[in-house]
């Protein structure tokens, strides 16, 4: 297989590859650091091997050994987002195929970008501190000196020491606990299988292989919200093959968690913004379950090929929805995804290379490239291919075969495409007519717009058109009955359609509130779109509510656009910046950094990042 480089990593993964990690963490809530030791089992890929490079970011390295012998090490110059290369010189020479155990003793920094430390006051229970980690895309290096690239996959074992009143959970199989022999006020949790969480957790069983974990205040609500997890798992297995990770647990994180979900093996992270009370947002869990196959089992080789993770996962998520709901529901969700793609392209600019399906990330922080593009442009390509190849059952056969072929490995777009041509060898002429350059390497919207079924969207489209055409004299014609028969998904779609148009007159959004009472709805997807609509229409009363939602939770899907909407309301631009500066210390480091860029705040002035 051809050597692959990763522009987002310093590590020498073409010369050696990590096969296993043994981690020891001592969680220090007072100083906000992890006092750590990691042993990396490294396989050598070339002869005359004497040096290796690991990725680090803001780590305080104390000692390095190789097979128990002291090894020389240096930390190179610091890069703005890639961190610092850790150059290690072995005290001996190795040949191709040999293994070495490299042990690094170190501390994380209080401002490690993978970690968020919460005070008791920032938690729901208000009694104990809380720590969680979030390593994607390239933040694991602030937690562990490692080959921080999706090209490298390995097993791990971990021991985590925390105060005895707290519980630690990881993306791994739990392997017992014991008192810390160094401190009788602490307990050590053991895990087999980098993600770390420590808090006072409670859990409920939600299926034969699943528990939901959270603070006590959320656990029952979460158990209800995610009660269909086992149905989704078995549906996904019918589509994609056996679930290989054993347990599938869900951890509901604090509101500051920057994503809707994160697909850690065995333990999905979820935002509390999913707790809508009606299971209407469970598609996020379907998405994270799908990542068990496309993302965790088969992984993009570098972040430039991120669409292989996300496009296939959206495709599988919507196939789960098709099985549990209907084909019309899948088509309806695809329509909504197309609008999200259009918004991302509009935000970046249609000529921005970051809207390529396969972008060049040389000198680009992968966090800056995060958008719906790899998700929805990727899905649109797969759906287009589905139509060309003969329908969902036929194309799902390819997806399942692709997963089996590349299980437990990392893949490039070129390898995926080659396998596509091999699998559909009888239809190569059709595949050759696909404009691959336009799909993969050209910015903007896809070259082909799929013709999705609009049956479930028609009522939303009709209501949207009524509001767009309404004059002041027509406003009395709207009533609560307009939305009485709309599902939660349809109400979200109605608001999404309005956000694609020019802002409504202020009188229209005020009338919409009078008849639909949207301010009373706590569903995060509805509230997010409604508040954006209000701010765009210059409804000043909505500014405070929009900033409140932007700061009470930290999901970037919501927080960044809400801040941008208020910032674009020129009268309140300074208020948006002031609120952000006042609240950024409580935000996740990644969220704070990206919002700072959105609001044109000089990030170098912050001591918290």
């Amino acid at each position: 297989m051809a050597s692959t480089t990763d522009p987002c990593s310093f590590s020498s993964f073409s010369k050696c590859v990590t096969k296993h990690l043994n981690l020891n963490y001592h969680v220090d809530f007072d100083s906000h650091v992890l006092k750590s030791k990691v042993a990396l089992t490294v396989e050598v890929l070339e002869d005359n091997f004497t040096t290796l490079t690991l990725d680090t970011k803001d780590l305080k390295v104390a000692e390095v050994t190789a097979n128990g012998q002291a090894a020389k090490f240096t930390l190179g110059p610091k890069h703005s987002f890639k961190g610092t290369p850790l150059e290690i010189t072995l005290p001996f020479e190795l040949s191709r195929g040999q293994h070495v155990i490299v042990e690094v003793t170190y501390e994380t920094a209080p401002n490690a970008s993978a970690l968020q430390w919460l005070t008791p006051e920032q938690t729901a229970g208000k009694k104990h501190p809380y720590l969680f980690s979030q390593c994607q895309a390239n933040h694991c290096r602030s937690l562990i000196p490692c080959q921080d690239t999706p090209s490298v996959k390995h097993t791990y074992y971990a021991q985590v020491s925390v105060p005895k009143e707290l519980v630690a959970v990881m993306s791994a199989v739990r392997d017992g606990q014991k008192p810390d022999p160094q401190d009788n006020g602490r307990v050590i949790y053991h895990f087999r299988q980098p993600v770390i969480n420590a808090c006072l957790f409670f859990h409920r069983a939600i299926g034969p292989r699943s528990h939901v974990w959270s603070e006590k205040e959320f656990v029952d609500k979460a158990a209800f919200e995610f009660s269909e997890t086992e149905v989704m798992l078995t549906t996904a297995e019918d589509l994609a093959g056996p679930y290989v990770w054993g347990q599938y647990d869900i951890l509901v994180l604090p509101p500051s968690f920057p994503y809707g979900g994160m697909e850690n093996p065995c333990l999905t992270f979820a935002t509390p913004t999913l707790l809508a009370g009606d299971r209407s947002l469970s598609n996020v869990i379907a998405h994270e379950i799908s990542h068990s196959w496309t993302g965790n089992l088969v992984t993009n080789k570098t972040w430039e090929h991120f669409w292989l993770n996300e496009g296939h996962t959206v495709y599988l998520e919507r196939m789960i929805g098709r099985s549990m709901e209907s084909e019309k529901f899948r088509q309806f969700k695809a329509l909504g995804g197309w609008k999200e793609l259009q918004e991302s392209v509009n935000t970046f600019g249609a000529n921005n290379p970051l809207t390529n399906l396969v972008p060049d990330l040389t000198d680009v922080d992968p966090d800056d490239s995060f958008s719906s593009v790899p998700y929805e442009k990727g899905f649109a390509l797969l759906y287009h291919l589905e139509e060309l190849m003969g329908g969902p059952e036929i194309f799902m056969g390819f997806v399942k075969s692709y997963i089996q072929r590349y299980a437990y490995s990392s893949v490039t777009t070129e390898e995926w495409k080659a396998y596509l041509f091999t699998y559909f060898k009888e239809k190569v002429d059709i595949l050759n007519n696909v404009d691959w350059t336009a799909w993969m390497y050209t910015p903007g919207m896809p070259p082909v717009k799929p013709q999705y079924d609009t049956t479930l969207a028609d009522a939303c489209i009709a209501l949207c058109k009524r509001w767009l055409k309404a004059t002041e004299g027509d406003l009395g014609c709207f009533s609560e009955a307009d939305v009485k028969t709309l599902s939660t998904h349809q109400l979200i779609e109605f608001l999404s359609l309005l956000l694609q148009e020019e802002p409504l007159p202020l009188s229209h959004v005020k009338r919409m509130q009078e008849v639909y009472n949207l301010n009373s709805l706590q569903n995060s997807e509805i509230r997010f779109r409604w508040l954006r609509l209000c701010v765009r229409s210059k409804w000043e009363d909505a500014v405070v509510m929009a900033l409140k939602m932007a700061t009470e939770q930290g999901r970037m899907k919501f927080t960044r656009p809400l801040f941008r909407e208020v910032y674009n309301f020129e009268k309140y631009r300074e208020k948006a910046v002031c609120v952000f500066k006042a609240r950024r210390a409580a935000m996740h480091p990644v969220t704070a950094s990206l919002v700072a860029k959105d609001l044109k705040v000089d990030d170098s002035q912050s001591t918290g990042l």
Side-chain angles (χ1 to χ4, degrees):
M1 187 177 295
S3 175
T4 302
T5 60
D6 186 341
C8 302
S9 173
F10 290 117
S11 66
S12 48
F13 63 90
S14 63
K15 298 179 179 181
C16 63
V17 61
T18 304
K19 306 302 289 184
H20 182 75
L21 291 184
N22 197 319
L23 298 161
N24 282 273
Y25 286 133
H26 179 99
V27 182
D28 189 333
F29 279 99
D30 293 327
S31 56
H32 286 188
V33 301
L34 300 181
K35 298 174 181 177
S36 314
K37 182 179 287 188
V38 60
L40 302 92
T41 301
V42 177
E43 180 181 344
V44 177
L45 302 179
E46 64 180 17
D47 292 329
N48 306 313
F49 180 85
T50 58
T51 63
L52 71 152
T53 305
L54 300 177
D55 291 304
T56 77
K57 187 178 181 184
D58 301 324
L59 297 182
K60 184 179 178 182
V61 178
E63 182 184 17
V64 178
T65 65
N67 290 348
Q69 301 178 47
K72 294 181 180 179
F73 67 92
T74 59
L75 287 164
K78 184 175 181 179
H79 184 273
S80 59
F81 64 83
K82 287 198 286 188
T84 306
L86 174 60
E87 307 279 359
I88 299 171
T89 301
L90 304 181
F92 41 75
E93 185 176 289
L94 294 173
S95 300
R96 179 184 177 90
Q98 291 187 297
H99 290 70
V100 59
I101 296 178
V102 177
E103 191 170 86
V104 184
T105 303
Y106 67 98
E107 277 188 15
T108 60
N111 61 342
S113 60
L115 300 174
Q116 185 167 23
W117 303 83
L118 302 179
T119 65
E121 294 72 30
Q122 291 174 291
T123 68
K126 310 298 182 187
K127 293 181 180 180
H128 300 286
Y130 195 120
L131 166 67
F132 71 88
S133 68
Q134 168 52 44
C135 294
Q136 188 173 307
N138 61 341
H139 300 285
C140 188
R141 63 196 69 184
S142 72
L143 188 60
I144 308 166
C146 61
Q147 294 180 303
D148 193 3
T149 167
S151 295
V152 175
K153 290 188 166 192
H154 53 73
T155 58
Y156 76 86
Y157 192 86
Q159 301 178 72
V160 185
S161 172
V162 298
K164 64 182 181 181
E165 63 270 18
L166 303 185
V167 176
V169 294
M170 293 186 79
S171 62
V173 176
R174 296 181 294 278
D175 198 31
Q177 64 191 74
K178 64 181 181 181
D180 189 333
Q182 307 297 320
D183 185 342
N184 60 15
R186 302 176 69 89
V187 63
I188 297 176
Y189 288 86
H190 296 255
F191 303 93
R192 290 182 287 111
Q193 191 149 59
V195 178
I196 176 173
N197 301 273
C199 176
L200 182 57
F201 287 123
F202 291 79
H203 68 275
R204 296 281 186 275
I206 54 173
R209 46 186 162 174
S210 301
H211 289 78
V212 65
W213 298 76
S214 74
E215 292 185 77
K216 182 179 180 180
E217 291 74 14
F218 295 135
V219 70
D220 289 328
K221 194 173 183 181
F224 168 80
E225 204 71 42
F226 305 139
S227 60
E228 294 181 316
T229 295
E230 181 61 25
V231 178
M232 292 181 184
L233 275 169
T234 56
T235 303
E237 287 183 308
D238 290 341
L239 291 165
Y243 177 79
V244 303
W245 305 101
Q247 69 192 48
Y248 181 84
D249 287 358
I250 300 170
L251 172 64
V252 180
L253 284 165
S256 58
F257 182 58
Y259 300 102
M262 187 53 64
E263 63 276 12
N264 308 299
C266 302
L267 184 69
T268 281
F269 285 5
T271 168
T273 63
L274 300 181
L275 305 183
D278 58 3
R279 301 194 190 98
S280 62
L281 304 182
S282 60
N283 62 292
V284 174
I285 298 303
H287 183 89
E288 302 310 326
I289 284 173
S290 300
H291 268 307
S292 302
W293 288 266
T294 51
N296 293 340
L297 194 56
V298 182
T299 309
N300 50 245
K301 188 159 282 189
T302 74
W303 296 114
E304 294 170 310
H305 305 282
F306 188 42
W307 83 272
L308 291 173
N309 276 21
E310 297 301 346
H312 287 84
T313 297
V314 173
Y315 185 85
L316 182 52
E317 164 207 332
R318 289 179 182 155
M319 287 296 287
I320 293 172
R322 179 178 186 261
S323 296
M324 294 179 64
E325 299 284 344
S326 67
E327 173 62 16
K328 288 180 179 179
F329 181 76
R330 182 175 81 120
Q331 298 278 326
F332 177 74
K333 298 302 288 185
L335 267 173
W338 184 266
K339 278 186 281 298
E340 289 184 16
L341 174 59
Q342 183 70 70
E343 182 165 349
S344 287
V345 170
N346 292 343
T347 300
F348 276 110
N351 296 317
N352 191 316
L354 292 182
T355 63
N356 289 7
L357 192 57
V358 185
D360 180 359
L361 294 184
T362 304
D363 297 325
V364 176
D365 185 340
D367 283 339
D368 291 343
S369 68
F370 182 81
S371 74
S372 67
V373 170
Y375 298 74
E376 297 298 345
K377 200 171 188 177
F379 171 82
L381 171 59
L382 297 176
Y383 183 83
H384 178 57
L385 293 172
E386 171 196 299
E387 291 189 309
L388 293 177
M389 295 298 101
E393 285 80 10
I394 291 172
F395 196 73
M396 192 63 224
F398 160 73
V399 173
K400 184 175 182 178
S401 180
Y402 159 73
I403 292 167
Q404 292 170 340
R405 168 65 180 83
Y406 290 103
Y408 305 104
S409 62
S410 300
V411 185
T412 66
T413 298
E414 293 74 21
E415 291 168 319
W416 168 86
K417 184 182 172 186
Y419 190 68
L420 176 77
F421 274 68
T422 299
Y423 185 88
F424 290 113
K425 58 182 179 293
E426 306 299 328
K427 300 179 180 179
V428 167
D429 289 346
I430 299 174
L431 291 173
N432 280 330
N433 286 326
V434 173
D435 190 343
W436 295 103
T437 299
W439 275 102
M440 302 288 189
Y441 306 107
T442 304
M445 294 298 287
V448 177
K449 181 178 181 179
Q451 298 303 305
Y452 298 122
D453 184 288
T454 63
T455 301
L456 294 180
D458 286 342
C460 317
I461 295 168
L463 185 58
C464 173
K465 287 180 177 177
R466 282 184 60 199
W467 278 99
L468 292 173
K469 292 178 180 178
T471 64
E472 296 291 325
D474 297 328
L475 294 181
C477 299
F478 293 99
S479 72
E480 184 184 0
D482 301 337
V483 295
K484 204 72 172 175
T485 60
L486 295 186
S487 69
T488 298
H489 296 290
Q490 288 174 310
L491 188 52
I492 291 169
E493 175 67 8
F494 161 64
L495 294 171
S496 298
L497 287 166
L498 288 174
L499 283 169
Q500 285 202 306
E501 306 293 337
E502 291 298 312
L504 289 171
L506 178 57
S507 57
H508 285 48
V509 293
K510 286 187 174 181
R511 176 59 180 166
M512 201 176 289
Q513 167 56 23
E514 285 178 13
V515 292
Y516 303 158
N517 194 21
L518 294 173
N519 282 343
S520 68
L521 301 182
Q522 295 306 306
N523 180 295
S524 58
E525 295 283 352
I526 294 173
R527 190 165 183 78
F528 160 65
R529 289 166 174 80
W530 166 239
L531 290 175
R532 290 183 67 195
L533 201 65
C534 292
V535 174
R536 283 190 187 181
S537 298
K538 303 287 192 287
W539 193 359
E540 297 188 39
D541 291 355
V543 169
V544 172
M545 290 187 287
L547 291 174
K548 186 171 186 281
M549 183 176 184
T551 53
E552 282 189 344
Q553 56 75 50
R555 188 177 175 186
M556 289 195 289
K557 175 182 179 179
F558 300 152
T559 294
R560 293 184 67 190
L562 286 168
F563 265 116
R564 285 197 297 259
E565 296 289 3
V566 177
Y567 184 82
N568 290 334
F569 190 168
E570 197 163 345
K571 181 176 179 180
Y572 290 94
R573 178 167 295 178
E574 189 174 336
K575 184 176 182 66
V577 173
C578 288
V579 168
F580 166 64
K581 287 182 174 178
R583 297 298 299 271
R584 73 177 298 168
M587 289 182 172
H588 188 276
V590 174
T591 308
S593 177
L594 292 173
V595 173
K597 292 175 182 177
D598 292 338
L599 304 187
K600 299 176 174 56
V601 174
D602 184 0
D603 211 32
S604 64
Q605 295 177 1
S606 169
T607 58
L609 293 173

